[in-house]
Amino acid sequence: MTNRAYSRFVDSVEAKGTQDGTGESTVTVLVAAGANLGIAVAKAAGGMISGSSAMLSEAAHSVADTVTELLLLTALKRSARPADPEHPLGYGQERYVWALLASVATFVGGAVFSVYDGVHTLTHGEDPGDPLVSYVILAVAFLLEGYSLRTGLRQARGEAARLHRPLRHYLRWTSDTTVKAVVMEDSAALVGLVLAAGGLLGGQLTGSGAWDGTAAVLIGLLLVYVAWVLGRSNAQLLIGRALPPDVREAVRARLSAVPQVAEVLELVTLVQGPGEVLIAAKVDFRDLATAAEIEWACEEAERDLRARFPAVRRVFLDPTPGRGQRAP
């Protein structure tokens, strides 16, 4: 990613985090939560009427997605709190705590139940009921999930377009994991609906419950994959993810360009949340620089980094003797 592209990246992310982006993410999550709640009730009713384990698995899928969206709303609200004396770096990373819990909810609430129910159907069989109601519910659910996915993709594509990056690249590297979660979960929901319909159709044509049980197991495995991807992304950001290597080099180059700086000895970058980047560095200043010049050099470096990379919120520079000047 070039410096100019990344400058647009951090600029858009900062605007997302500080202005209308949080509101846009909230709307995206609310739309997904409302759709999933209604769909969960309908799927559960359809599963009980038809006796389909795939439909019940899809109901568990929608319940898990609803819980996930509620956790993501909590993440958006709590991470937006301003810094205070007890938390001087703010609450940005708390978003990833709740988002990580959301991925666990997807695994426990959806994947485990779906795999268990599917295996139970395969081993014990089931008596298929009238699938007509289930087909109608699946069709309506497909429309609602499609609308929810469209809302999430609209936001993600807008962000990716501002960065001049492919959508897939944006979803992989974005620090706004709430939008990533909505897009992945709604995409998985559409695939799950197709699998459930296939299980119903196979059971209707053959009279065997094996099709329905297999569909339930596949839905569960799909949810395992989604939970793993989202959990890994949030864990990386929660532990502390650095900026991309080329961007770190750009930051190092900006610091080295300050007249009083002889060498940047050590550089640490940390993504603290959407639109929140911390930079810390050990800097060897020129030997002839006065204390006042070093102070102004630090101020100049911070202003330059903030201007070049608007997502940078905090800059800490530590004057450090060069390698050849350190005492043994």
Side-chain angles (χ1 to χ4, degrees), residues 133-166:
V133 175
S134 294
Y135 285 132
V136 173
I137 291 173
L138 289 175
V140 174
F142 195 91
L143 293 176
L144 292 175
E145 293 285 8
Y147 177 76
S148 177
L149 177 61
R150 176 176 173 269
T151 303
L153 283 175
R154 181 191 302 167
Q155 181 178 352
R157 283 173 177 160
E159 294 297 325
R162 281 193 287 272
L163 309 178
H164 301 277
R165 308 300 295 177

Side-chain angles (χ1 to χ4, degrees), residues 6-325:
Y6 186 72
S7 181
R8 286 192 293 265
F9 168 72
V10 292
D11 185 44
S12 66
V13 173
E14 182 183 44
K16 167 191 268 293
T18 58
Q19 298 173 10
D20 60 341
T22 299
E24 188 178 6
S25 296
T26 301
V27 171
T28 299
V29 175
L30 281 172
V31 169
N36 283 318
L37 182 59
I39 292 169
V41 175
K43 286 178 180 176
M48 288 185 289
I49 293 173
S50 64
S52 168
S53 61
M55 281 296 293
L56 292 175
S57 297
E58 272 298 296
H61 182 175
S62 294
V63 169
D65 284 352
T66 303
V67 174
T68 295
E69 260 78 53
L70 293 177
L71 290 171
L72 292 178
L73 286 173
T74 302
L76 289 171
K77 181 178 179 180
R78 294 185 64 85
S79 65
R81 291 177 294 170
D84 55 44
E86 296 298 324
H87 301 86
L89 298 182
Y91 293 83
Q93 286 185 296
E94 186 170 354
R95 173 179 298 204
Y96 306 127
V97 175
W98 292 95
L100 182 61
L101 292 176
S103 65
V104 173
T106 298
F107 176 78
V108 175
V112 172
F113 176 83
S114 297
V115 172
Y116 168 79
D117 197 43
V119 171
H120 184 271
T121 299
L122 289 173
T123 55
H124 294 78
E126 68 178 12
D127 297 323
D130 185 5
L132 179 60
V133 175
S134 294
Y135 285 132
V136 173
I137 291 173
L138 289 175
V140 174
F142 195 91
L143 293 176
L144 292 175
E145 293 285 8
Y147 177 76
S148 177
L149 177 61
R150 176 176 173 269
T151 303
L153 283 175
R154 181 191 302 167
Q155 181 178 352
R157 283 173 177 160
E159 294 297 325
R162 281 193 287 272
L163 309 178
H164 301 277
R165 308 300 295 177
L167 176 63
R168 183 176 180 181
H169 184 278
Y170 170 79
L171 290 175
R172 175 175 173 80
W173 293 105
T174 180
S175 57
D176 188 355
T177 55
T178 54
V179 176
K180 180 176 182 176
V182 170
V183 171
M184 286 200 66
E185 288 171 356
D186 286 343
S187 299
L190 292 177
V191 175
L193 291 171
V194 173
L195 290 173
L200 285 171
L201 181 60
Q204 185 179 7
L205 295 177
T206 63
S208 171
W211 289 86
D212 205 47
T214 302
V217 172
L218 291 176
I219 291 170
L221 295 177
L222 177 65
L223 291 176
V224 169
Y225 172 75
V226 172
W228 177 74
V229 171
L230 294 178
R232 183 185 61 175
S233 298
N234 286 290
Q236 289 176 346
L237 288 163
L238 189 59
I239 294 170
R241 193 177 73 189
L243 294 174
D246 53 344
V247 182
R248 295 200 298 270
E249 289 306 311
V251 171
R252 183 183 293 272
R254 303 300 296 187
L255 288 173
S256 299
V258 177
Q260 288 77 18
V261 173
E263 184 183 3
V264 178
L265 303 172
E266 184 178 348
L267 177 66
V268 175
T269 64
L270 178 65
V271 177
Q272 294 184 291
E276 293 187 30
V277 174
L278 179 147
I279 294 176
K282 287 182 176 292
V283 179
D284 177 21
F285 289 93
R286 302 191 184 281
D287 294 338
L288 298 179
T290 66
E293 288 174 336
I294 291 176
E295 290 174 352
W296 282 109
C298 290
E299 288 295 314
E300 179 183 349
E302 182 172 356
R303 283 197 300 266
D304 181 68
L305 288 174
R306 287 176 178 270
R308 184 64 172 170
F309 307 107
V312 172
R313 298 293 182 84
R314 301 170 183 88
V315 179
F316 301 103
L317 301 180
D318 178 16
T320 305
R323 294 181 176 86
Q325 300 172 321

